[in-house]
């Protein structure tokens, strides 16, 4: 059998070329994924940046640690606080006895015409990075600053806190855009200091701070005081999720393509297997022959894929760094296990792909294949029908169960990425039963046109069920993945936008003057309700497409950008404008321990209840907004306890524990319904938005002018809704592009392979057309039209899968009280279907044109 398999591979190399390329590509991608994962696990420890030369850094309490228990096992859950506490004054007094204490004050600097993300610091902290003057001098007066080298000495900057003059510049160190003020001016702009540098012995500092709610940082731990200290870890986690998803899709589509190729190859070789059976071969020997062919192809393809993966991984790492998906230091290491994982997975994929085909080959009788007509009368086997029906039933049942038990689960990225694959597989298995009626339906109109072309296209495609199903299957995969993934994000984003529109009843929304770049990821914008009620730590897949993040302070950012709200003077002016009701709200968070095992963070919005009731229409399921007070909270239905009147124990944004009564309950929505508290329960939060509703008789134009004069960026309700429309984040976008690119590449390989394999079977058919009087061009036109018809059938099946998946998501949104349209991404579907059509036409017409170079009589006498 092995000898026969070797001879088969040599004589039918074109049959197995597509399988070889598909497997090689899959193994290469798996190797790249494994090497990336291994390199991220061996990541070096993050070194301090802002405080590289500081002896000791002391931070106020910035984490919440709560004991949890699972059975007899007791552990602690830790979360970053939304509002880190300042270092206690008593602790500062102790530290000052040990040496010089320098308070670090970090705050955003908003100005126009310069780089975004400017962070202000006291000049005395510049030496710890260290920053060194490259031009000019240090600041001496409140109106002087030192910046990075994007500015020049003498240049004036118009900031929210007044005009300042650049008197010096420093070289950029790459991790921030600093603006250094005098220490006194920095203290005025940022009165609270959540961390400080102590120039003293670390042991003495630890002894002085013992028992205090502070963290003493030395060595590499000083990086925890840097801006966004977790960015490397988060970037690596996101990158691993991206390549993990791509690897899963690669394995899925690889099995799909290999199985399709072997199934079609077996169907083509029925007469060959019949001859072997006539010569005495047993069904087991036939099966072993087919499996041996797959094993040989798998070994060669897997080895080739490992070599390609080793070459491609460093280039992928460079690309990930260039586009900002990976930290700048990221490189591929020298781990060996990813090659073993990729090789053996590729071999397993090859064997899994051939199992069904080998069983079918073994069932060929000694004379059955020799008598069988060219028409595929039994394309759908009983086993395939049962498997397809079972998977379809499983897809429908799991969808219904999710809608009944937990509709919110269907909105998570990990769900709407994986769920389509089950339905795609089911429809692909049932394709032989579906393609014949679909083909007749799609080709019905062309068949009514004058001439025989349309009728020939319809009958050829309908008669060759196996060939039609083999070509339609990869098109189905690509179209269904494109429609399901892109349609899911578009549907979810539109639902979030609908929530914003329905909740926002204010006539104007005012944000701090510097926050003019309103995007879906801008902390100054967002839904009227808080976002991110589902804690990212509990569901990493739920946060990829979330709406605007309301929390303007970045977790763990050393206080940088912590105070992005209105100053007291501006806020007072906004509130005293006549003819309006102003609701000033701020971003915060609360933490709750559910079932004693999970510490959940919920984004919170702090607001006064009376103005809030006038300027917003919260999606309440029970209770009233007006019942909110300093001893209560508004939660949503996702909370474990969500009955009006119940009491919940929570930790506020600064870690303070408090028991609050539930005043009202909001619906779950898209998962962005956080909680509402009063300002008294949001210590450390700064007002970052003011919703304004006009009193009857007030002139909108006059009010808008007054709002601008008070010092804010003013948006009308419609402008706010448009500006806060959520978008797909960069990691998700790159992930989908990678997944869809892989699917389209595999589709091209499968189409090319299937069309080339089918060309040999159609030589005599083409010759008959020529003998019947068809011209060379007419024959090629029929071949091309048939390819387009089959692609259309695959596109219809893909659209069917897309519609079912998106309908499930739309049903989940309806059950969660969210009203929004189902978005089918028609332009993207048209693009991928067009690409499939081009590939199908090229790889069907080209082999046919090559075959017809021989004389027609010779073609008519050609046998397999």
């Amino acid at each position: 059998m092995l000898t026969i398999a070797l001879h088969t591979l040599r004589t039918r190399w074109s049959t197995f070329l597509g399988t070889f390329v598909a497997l090689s590509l899959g193994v290469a991608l798996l190797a790249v994924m494994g090497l990336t994962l291994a390199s991220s696990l061996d990541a070096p420890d993050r070194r301090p940046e802002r405080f590289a030369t500081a002896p000791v850094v002391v931070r106020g309490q910035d984490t919440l640690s709560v004991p949890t228990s699972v059975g007899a096992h007791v552990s602690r859950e830790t979360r970053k606080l939304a509002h880190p506490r300042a270092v206690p004054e008593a602790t500062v007094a102790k530290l000052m006895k040990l040496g010089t204490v320098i308070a670090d004050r970090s705050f955003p600097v908003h100005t126009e015409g310069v780089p975004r993300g400017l962070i202000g610091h006291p000049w005395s902290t510049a030496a710890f990075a260290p920053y060194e003057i490259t031009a000019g001098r240090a600041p001496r007066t409140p109106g002087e600053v030192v910046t990075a080298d994007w500015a020049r000495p003498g240049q004036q900057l118009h900031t929210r806190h007044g005009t300042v003059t650049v008197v010096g510049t420093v070289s950029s160190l790459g991790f921030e855009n600093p603006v250094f003020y005098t220490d006194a001016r920095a203290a005025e702009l940022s009165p609270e200091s959540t961390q400080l540098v102590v120039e003293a012995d670390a042991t003495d500092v630890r002894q002085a701070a013992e028992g205090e709610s502070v963290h003493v940082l030395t060595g590499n731990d000083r990086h925890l005081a840097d801006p966004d200290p977790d960015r490397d870890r988060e970037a690596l986690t996101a990158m691993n999720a991206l390549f993990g998803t791509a690897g899963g899709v690669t394995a899925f589509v690889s099995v799909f393509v290999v199985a399709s190729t072997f199934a079609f190859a077996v169907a083509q070789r029925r007469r060959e297997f019949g001859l072997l059976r006539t010569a005495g071969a047993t069904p087991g020997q036939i099966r072993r022959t087919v499996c041996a062919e797959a094993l040989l192809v798998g070994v060669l393809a897997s080895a080739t894929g490992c070599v390609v993966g080793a070459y491609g991984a460093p280039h992928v790492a460079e690309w990930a760094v260039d586009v900002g998906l990976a930290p700048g230091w990221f490189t591929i290491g020298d781990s060996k296990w990813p090659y073993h994982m990729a090789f053996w997975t590729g071999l397993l994929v090859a064997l899994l792909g051939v199992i069904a085909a080998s069983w079918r080959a073994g069932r060929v009788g000694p004379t059955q294949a020799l008598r069988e007509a060219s028409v595929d009368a039994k394309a759908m086997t009983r086993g395939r029908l049962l498997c397809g029906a079972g998977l379809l039933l499983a897809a429908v049942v799991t969808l219904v169960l999710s809608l009944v038990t937990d509709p919110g689960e269907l909105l998570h990225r990990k769900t709407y990425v994986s769920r389509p694959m089950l339905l795609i597989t089911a429809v692909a298995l049932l394709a032989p039963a579906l393609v014949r009626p679909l083909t007749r339906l799609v080709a019905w109109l062309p068949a009514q046109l004058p001439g025989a072309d349309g009728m020939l296209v319809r009958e050829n495609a309908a008669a060759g069920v196996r060939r039609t199903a083999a070509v339609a299957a990869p098109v189905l995969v690509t179209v269904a993945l494109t429609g399901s993934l892109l349609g899911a994000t578009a549907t979810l984003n539109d639902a979030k936008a609908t929530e914003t529109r329905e909740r926002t009843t204010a006539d104007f929304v005012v944000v701090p003057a510097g926050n003019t770049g309103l995007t879906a990821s801008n902390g100054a914008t967002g839904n009227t309700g808080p976002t991110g009620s589902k804690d990212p730590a509990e569901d990493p897949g739920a946060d990829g497409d979330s709406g605007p993040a309301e929390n303007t302070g970045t977790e763990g950012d050393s206080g940088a950008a912590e105070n992005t709200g209105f100053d007291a003077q501006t806020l007072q002016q906004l509130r005293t404008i006549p003819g309006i009701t102003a609701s000033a709200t701020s971003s915060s968070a609360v933490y709750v321990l559910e079932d004693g095992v999970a510490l959940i963070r919920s984004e919170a919005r702090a607001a006064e209840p009376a103005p809030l009731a006038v300027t917003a229409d919260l999606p309440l399921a029970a209770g009233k907004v007006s019942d909110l007070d300093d001893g209560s909270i508004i939660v949503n239905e996702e909370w474990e306890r969500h009955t009006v009147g119940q009491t919940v124990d929570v930790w506020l944004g600064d870690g303070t524990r408090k028991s609050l009564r539930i005043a009202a309950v909001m619906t779950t929505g898209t998962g962005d319904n956080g909680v509402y508290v009063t300002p008294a329960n949001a210590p450390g939060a700064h007002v970052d938005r003011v919703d304004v509703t006009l009193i009857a008789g007030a002139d909108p134009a006059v009010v808008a002018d007054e709002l601008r004069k008070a010092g804010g960026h003013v948006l009308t309700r419609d402008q706010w809704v448009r500006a806060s429309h959520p978008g797909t984040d960069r990691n998700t976008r790159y992930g989908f592009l990678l997944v869809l690119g892989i699917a389209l590449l595999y589709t091209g390989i499968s189409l090319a392979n299937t069309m080339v394999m089918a060309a040999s079977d159609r030589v005599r058919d083409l010759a008959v057309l020529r003998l019947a009087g068809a011209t060379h061009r007419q024959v090629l036109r029929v071949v091309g039209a048939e390819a387009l018809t089959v692609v259309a059938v695959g596109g219809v099946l893909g659209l069917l899968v897309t519609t079912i998946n998106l309908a499930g998501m739309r049903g989940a949104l309806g059950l969660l009280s969210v009203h929004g349209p189902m978005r089918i991404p028609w332009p993207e579907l048209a693009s991928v279907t067009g690409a499939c059509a081009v590939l199908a036409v090229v790889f069907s017409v080209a082999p046919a044109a090559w075959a017809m170079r021989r004389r027609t009589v010779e073609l008519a006498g050609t046998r397999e």
Side-chain angles (χ1 to χ4, degrees), residues 439-459:
T439 299
R440 294 190 178 280
L441 177 63
V442 170
W444 178 82
L445 182 59
Q448 309 307 311
L449 299 176
D453 290 0
M455 181 268 296
L456 286 173
V457 168
R458 182 186 66 186
E459 297 305 322

Side-chain angles (χ1 to χ4, degrees), residues 39 149 446 643:
S39 301
D149 47 17
T643 302

Side-chain angles (χ1 to χ4, degrees), residues 409-440:
E409 178 67 21
L410 296 176
L411 307 185
H412 296 165
R413 184 172 61 220
K414 61 186 178 185
T415 301
Y416 63 70
V417 168
S418 59
R419 180 171 290 277
M421 297 180 188
L422 181 62
L423 193 55
I424 289 171
T425 306
V427 174
L429 287 173
L430 297 174
L434 301 174
V435 294
R436 183 168 287 165
L438 270 179
T439 299
R440 294 190 178 280

Side-chain angles (χ1 to χ4, degrees), residues 311-379:
Y311 175 78
H315 296 285
V316 172
E318 292 178 6
W319 169 79
V321 171
D322 290 340
V323 300
L325 291 177
W329 49 260
F330 183 76
T331 56
I332 298 297
D334 56 359
S335 297
K336 298 297 186 293
W337 67 262
Y339 296 110
H340 290 282
M341 180 269 296
F343 180 88
W344 295 110
T345 301
L347 203 56
L348 180 62
V349 165
L351 295 177
L352 287 176
V354 80
I355 286 176
S358 66
W359 182 261
R360 183 178 179 84
R363 296 182 61 189
V364 175
T367 59
Q368 173 188 356
L370 299 178
R371 297 197 307 264
E372 192 171 345
S374 298
V375 177
D376 295 325
K378 299 180 180 178

Side-chain angles (χ1 to χ4, degrees), residues 701-763:
V702 173
V703 170
D705 188 55
E706 291 295 326
L707 292 172
R708 294 187 186 95
K709 289 180 180 178
H713 184 66
V714 182
L715 297 94
T716 64
R717 177 179 179 273
D718 291 339
Q719 289 173 333
W720 170 258
V721 171
R722 288 194 301 270
S724 59
H725 193 290
T728 304
D729 67 61
R730 182 181 59 184
N731 289 337
T732 301
R733 189 163 54 249
Y734 279 123
F736 283 174
L737 288 176
L738 186 60
V739 167
L740 297 180
I742 291 171
L744 187 58
L745 182 59
Y746 272 117
T747 295
I749 294 172
S750 182
L751 287 175
N753 193 43
T754 304
M755 290 299 187
V756 171
M757 289 168 60
S760 60
D761 284 349
R762 307 197 61 189
V763 171

Side-chain angles (χ1 to χ4, degrees), residues 45 142 380 391 416 436 440 548 561 569 602 709 797 804 827 848:
D45 292 334
M380 174 62 76
L391 288 177
Y416 63 70
R436 183 168 287 165
R440 294 190 178 280
Q569 181 180 356
S602 286
K709 289 180 180 178
L797 290 175
I804 294 174

Side-chain angles (χ1 to χ4, degrees), residues 160-247:
R160 190 198 305 174
H161 302 291
T163 300
V164 294
T165 302
V166 178
V167 296
T169 60
V170 295
S171 297
S172 175
L173 299 182
F175 58 86
E176 66 173 353
N177 262 324
V179 178
F180 292 103
Y181 290 78
T182 63
D183 288 18
R185 181 57 175 160
E188 293 177 3
L189 298 177
S190 181
E192 285 190 351
S193 174
T194 60
Q195 61 191 24
L196 44 85
V197 176
V198 183
E199 295 182 334
D201 181 74
T203 303
D204 294 338
V205 173
R206 292 187 187 280
Q207 290 178 351
E210 188 175 358
E212 304 286 351
S213 56
V214 296
H215 301 287
V216 179
L217 308 177
T218 59
N220 280 346
D221 287 344
R222 290 170 297 171
H223 87 274
L224 297 173
D226 286 336
D228 197 8
D230 296 327
R231 67 176 183 269
D232 287 0
R233 178 182 58 82
E234 293 168 353
L236 292 175
T237 300
M239 186 171 63
N240 288 335
L242 186 153
F243 284 102
T245 301

Side-chain angles (χ1 to χ4, degrees), residues 828-848:
E828 290 81 3
L829 289 179
S831 297
V832 297
T833 305
C836 293
V838 171
L839 292 171
V841 170
V842 169
F843 287 109
S844 61
V845 171

